Amino acid sequence: MTSPDAACLAPTPLIDSDHPGIVAFAREQARGGDDRARAIALYYAVRDSFRYDPYRIDLSPASMRASSVLAVGYGWCVPKAALLAAACRAAGIPARVGYADVRNHLSTERMRETLKTDLFVWHGYTDIWIDGHWRKATPAFNVELCNRFGLLPLEFDGQADSIYHPFDRSGNRHMEYVNMRGSFDDVPLEQIVADFRMVYADWMADMASMRSADFQAEVERETR
């Protein structure tokens, strides 16, 4: 197990932990007497204070920064993981971002038609150094979304990895991890964009079509 180095506490172009908003967010939310308690508090603050929205994806560097999630109030898995990493670093807790390819068995009809696959590449999570171990934390799905979609919310106790459940509340297939890509000191945006262009060519050619839709409304409509 690799111990953290200085890079896991330093700001980067996309994990901008020195941004005033990030610093203030970490100061307000990182409550607790030790790093584990503070990391847990930050996890739930990022998970539930920022709505998960995979329709409004903007792959420009400005929109992929951790601080952009603070500015707009929502995000998808990659920038929300970056926000958690940035907040941890701002609080003095070593953190980095990790990625996996997952097969998503639950998505909206629009997503299935647009992406033409149930494979989600470069799904983002956060690696946090707690009590001498790296712990995976996945702050993507806010609890309200989980309740509407019939998913089991991901909890984080700082002692075990928090990754997607294989099944939903009803026992249906949910997420399947098919490839672990490892952890990075900064968001590898260039590689993410290149792979998105290869896997999601049609969507990348017309990303605006999905941005105009309402993910939350579609979830509510399809789960009635």
Side-chain angles (χ1 to χ4, degrees):
M1 182 173 295
T2 305
S3 298
D5 56 24
C8 297
L9 283 168
T12 66
L14 299 184
I15 303 178
D16 51 345
S17 54
D18 57 346
H19 185 281
I22 299 284
V23 173
F25 177 79
R27 185 182 299 117
E28 178 182 356
Q29 299 295 337
R31 304 186 186 98
D34 56 24
D35 281 356
R36 185 163 75 90
R38 296 161 69 226
I40 291 170
L42 287 172
Y43 170 81
Y44 284 103
V46 173
R47 189 193 75 174
D48 293 333
S49 299
F50 303 93
R51 175 173 47 89
Y52 174 76
D53 192 338
Y55 282 6
R56 286 164 176 77
I57 292 178
D58 183 340
L59 295 172
S60 67
S63 294
M64 291 293 287
R65 290 190 186 105
S67 58
S68 72
V69 181
L70 287 178
V72 299
Y74 61 83
W76 51 295
C77 63
V78 172
K80 286 191 71 173
L83 173 58
L84 179 55
C88 285
R89 291 181 184 183
I93 304 170
R96 58 194 186 184
V97 283
Y99 302 92
D101 299 338
V102 298
R103 199 166 297 282
N104 183 3
H105 295 272
L106 292 173
S107 59
T108 64
E109 182 178 357
R110 184 185 295 271
M111 287 188 72
R112 292 189 294 271
E113 291 178 350
T114 301
L115 300 183
K116 296 180 172 57
T117 179
D118 62 358
L119 181 67
F120 286 64
V121 299
W122 290 97
H123 151 67
Y125 58 87
T126 311
D127 252 353
I128 309 173
W129 184 257
I130 302 173
D131 296 334
H133 298 275
W134 286 110
R135 302 302 186 195
K136 295 180 177 63
T138 307
F141 292 172
N142 51 296
V143 68
E144 292 87 357
L145 176 68
C146 291
N147 291 337
R148 289 192 173 96
F149 226 149
L151 304 179
L152 294 165
L154 284 180
E155 310 298 346
F156 182 58
D157 63 4
Q159 296 177 307
D161 290 338
S162 176
I163 58 176
Y164 283 133
H165 300 292
F167 301 97
D168 67 7
R169 292 180 187 271
S170 301
N172 300 311
R173 292 298 299 270
H174 177 208
M175 289 286 187
E176 175 187 355
Y177 285 78
V178 298
N179 178 38
M180 301 302 293
R181 292 181 178 265
S183 299
F184 301 78
D185 294 328
D186 197 9
V187 179
L189 183 57
E190 184 175 339
Q191 186 61 53
I192 291 174
V193 171
D195 287 348
F196 273 29
R197 284 177 177 154
M198 180 175 61
V199 178
Y200 311 122
D202 291 346
W203 168 57
M204 289 288 286
D206 185 21
M207 295 182 74
S209 62
M210 199 153 71
R211 288 191 198 126
S212 63
D214 187 329
F215 177 73
Q216 190 72 40
E218 290 188 5
V219 169
E220 293 177 358
R221 183 167 60 251
E222 294 183 20
T223 53
R224 284 173 186 163

